[in-house]
Amino acid sequence: MHILLALLGIVGGGLFWWYRMRTLGDPANDVIDTAGKARGYLRRRKIRIQHEHSPLTAIEDPVLAAATLIFAIVCEDTPITEKHYEAVRNAIIDICDPAKADEAVIYAKWASSQIDDAVTVIEKTSPLLRQRLNDMEKLELIDMVGKAAAAVTVPPTYGQRVKKLKQKLGLEVD
């Protein structure tokens, strides 16, 4: 009988300490979960701030990227007029519906007003365009830039910007 009581005591003691260790582990798990949530919040906040500071990093649509790119190249260092809007809209109208073209031109105007340098626009939008467009579509994009430029007075840096765009898209440069 005394062996049975000793065995029950050992099992009871083991269960007691197992329960104690499990309950001590719960607060530790809570601390780890809270730290993970805080780290995720900070990461999301950093991404949100980046998108607020640069309208170019928020672009995920190739049509929107193309409109912004064309607008930046054609309107660099020149006063923006209604002809610029029409030139960009007419350049992209063939690749999307009219409502989306209007929306893209409005966004392009806003994004270009936020970032004055066309080189920055080319640097930020070309990775998306390079990834999403095939070689024929990349050449069509260069043609759209030329079509928009033919409708307005282009800045003196136009040729350099088109050359830079071709390089960034991975096309053969003349």
Side-chain angles (χ1 to χ4, degrees):
M1 187 66 157
H2 64 284
I3 295 175
L4 186 59
L5 285 175
L7 190 60
L8 282 175
I10 291 173
V11 170
L15 286 174
F16 171 77
W17 285 108
W18 174 79
Y19 177 76
R20 291 277 294 174
M21 292 307 231
R22 202 180 100 213
T23 56
L24 289 175
D26 288 342
N29 288 337
D30 290 343
V31 168
I32 291 169
D33 287 344
T34 303
K37 287 178 184 178
R39 197 173 77 206
Y41 170 77
L42 292 174
R43 198 176 306 136
R44 287 188 305 275
R45 183 172 181 267
K46 179 182 173 187
I47 291 170
R48 192 176 326 118
I49 288 171
Q50 282 178 336
H51 287 299
E52 289 172 358
H53 289 316
S54 177
L56 301 176
T57 56
I59 296 176
E60 294 179 1
D61 182 20
V63 173
L64 198 57
T68 306
L69 184 67
I70 294 168
F71 199 89
I73 291 173
V74 171
C75 299
E76 185 179 32
D77 296 333
T78 59
I80 299 171
T81 64
E82 193 64 36
K83 287 177 72 176
H84 289 93
Y85 298 124
E86 286 301 315
V88 174
R89 186 180 184 282
N90 291 337
I92 65 168
I93 196 76
D94 295 335
I95 61 170
C96 65
D97 61 90
K100 189 171 184 176
D102 291 336
E103 179 184 326
V105 170
I106 290 168
Y107 188 87
K109 177 194 172 226
W110 175 75
S112 293
S113 70
Q114 300 293 314
I115 299 166
D116 293 333
D117 188 24
V119 175
T120 304
V121 176
I122 292 169
E123 293 285 334
K124 297 288 185 182
T125 57
S126 59
L128 171 75
L129 294 170
R130 185 177 186 157
Q131 177 187 10
R132 300 286 268 311
L133 303 179
N134 61 34
D135 287 339
M136 287 300 295
E137 291 170 334
K138 291 174 186 175
L139 292 172
E140 287 175 14
L141 175 62
I142 300 298
D143 291 340
M144 287 189 288
V145 173
K147 181 180 176 182
V152 295
T153 305
V154 293
T157 57
Y158 170 74
Q160 295 170 348
R161 302 305 180 240
V162 173
K163 187 176 182 179
K164 176 96 171 160
L165 176 61
K166 285 180 180 179
Q167 288 173 341
K168 288 296 184 177
L169 291 176
L171 297 173
E172 190 174 310
V173 180
D174 313 337

